Amino acid sequence: MSTDSTAILNSVLTSFAALTENDISVSASLWRRREIHKGDFYNKQNIVCKDLGIVVKGIFRVYYYDEKTDEEKNMFFFSEGQFIVSFRSFLYQYPCVYYIEALEDAEVVYLPYDDLQNLYANHKPWERFGRILAEHFFNQSQGRSEELLFFSHEKRYQNLLVQHPNIVQRVPSFHIASYLGIKNQSLSRIKKRLLDNK
């Protein structure tokens, strides 16, 4: 792995689950590096997600493709320093219901499912990491559900900017609008309103 990949991997694992240098070194030989070109996929709909990744460079969208309506609906974005995975598919090893697509040329470091299970079984700190990881994705999933149920489109947009501060410069507006559940014109009005209120 490159120096950048190793630095981001160590930073994420240390801050996320307080893994020590020794804990991380146990896993060092298991992590692999993957480059994904813009428009290519980390994982596809109906394919089992076999890897837990960390984004070193780039931004991804998670979307569902509805064959009946020929529509794509964006659900999440992943960017630098974040875990990238279809967690339910990864956890239970059954086909994923989403696509995970690179919106820029990207780099990911990843750990295969079987290797992570071995770490869980043989190293107590990694078993703790697994619990925290599950809590993280439960919180992410429930947070997204609550946003869609209770928050205004404007509040969803503001939350997105907190999670991915430079997303507006990196991702086409129609992808952001799809994530918010609105049309492009409505997103333009939200942007203008927020600018006017500054």
Side-chain angles (χ1 to χ4, degrees):
M1 288 196 301
S2 68
T3 306
D4 285 350
S5 302
T6 303
I8 287 180
L9 175 65
N10 290 344
S11 172
V12 170
L13 295 179
T14 302
S15 61
F16 180 74
L19 291 173
T20 66
E21 192 175 318
N22 187 57
D23 298 330
I24 295 169
S25 70
V26 167
S27 74
S29 65
L30 305 175
W31 290 91
R32 303 167 196 184
R33 178 178 169 276
R34 181 177 164 195
E35 290 186 355
I36 304 173
H37 295 297
K38 180 179 179 178
D40 287 343
F41 296 89
Y42 178 80
N43 202 73
K44 291 185 176 181
Q45 199 166 326
N46 301 318
I47 303 294
V48 175
C49 185
K50 295 184 177 295
D51 305 311
L52 171 69
I54 294 172
V55 180
V56 174
K57 182 183 76 172
I59 190 164
F60 294 80
R61 69 175 177 129
V62 180
Y63 72 91
Y64 173 75
Y65 173 66
D66 189 332
E67 290 183 356
K68 291 178 182 175
T69 62
D70 194 33
E71 281 186 301
E72 297 175 358
K73 297 177 182 177
N74 291 334
M75 300 299 299
F76 295 100
F77 294 100
F78 296 126
S79 57
E80 288 86 357
Q82 296 183 330
F83 289 100
I84 179 170
V85 68
S86 175
F87 194 64
R88 287 180 68 206
S89 174
F90 180 77
L91 191 63
Y92 296 108
Q93 290 294 281
Y94 62 58
C96 179
V97 296
Y98 303 124
Y99 288 93
I100 305 178
E101 179 190 19
L103 297 175
E104 300 171 343
D105 288 342
E107 180 185 341
V108 170
V109 289
Y110 68 93
L111 191 62
Y113 175 84
D114 289 340
D115 289 336
L116 184 58
Q117 295 305 310
N118 285 333
L119 286 171
Y120 289 168
N122 296 303
H123 301 280
K124 196 73 177 174
W126 278 95
E127 187 179 35
R128 179 175 174 273
F129 167 86
R131 175 179 60 78
I132 295 171
L133 187 71
E135 291 170 353
H136 167 74
F137 280 104
F138 172 78
N139 179 59
Q140 188 181 57
S141 177
Q142 182 159 333
R144 176 67 171 145
S145 297
E146 289 173 356
E147 272 198 347
L148 292 170
L149 285 170
F150 307 128
F151 292 0
S152 68
H153 297 126
E154 189 170 306
K155 179 62 175 171
R156 286 182 218 166
Y157 178 67
Q158 290 172 315
N159 287 349
L160 181 64
L161 296 182
V162 171
Q163 295 162 12
H164 308 277
N166 56 358
I167 195 168
V168 173
Q169 290 77 38
R170 301 172 70 183
V171 172
S173 290
F174 67 89
H175 281 319
I176 295 174
S178 170
Y179 171 85
L180 298 173
I182 59 178
K183 300 295 183 185
N184 242 346
Q185 300 92 319
S186 299
L187 176 56
S188 296
R189 285 194 291 272
I190 289 172
K191 288 179 179 178
K192 183 178 185 306
R193 192 159 57 243
L194 290 174
L195 278 173
D196 291 343
N197 291 336
K198 278 190 174 181

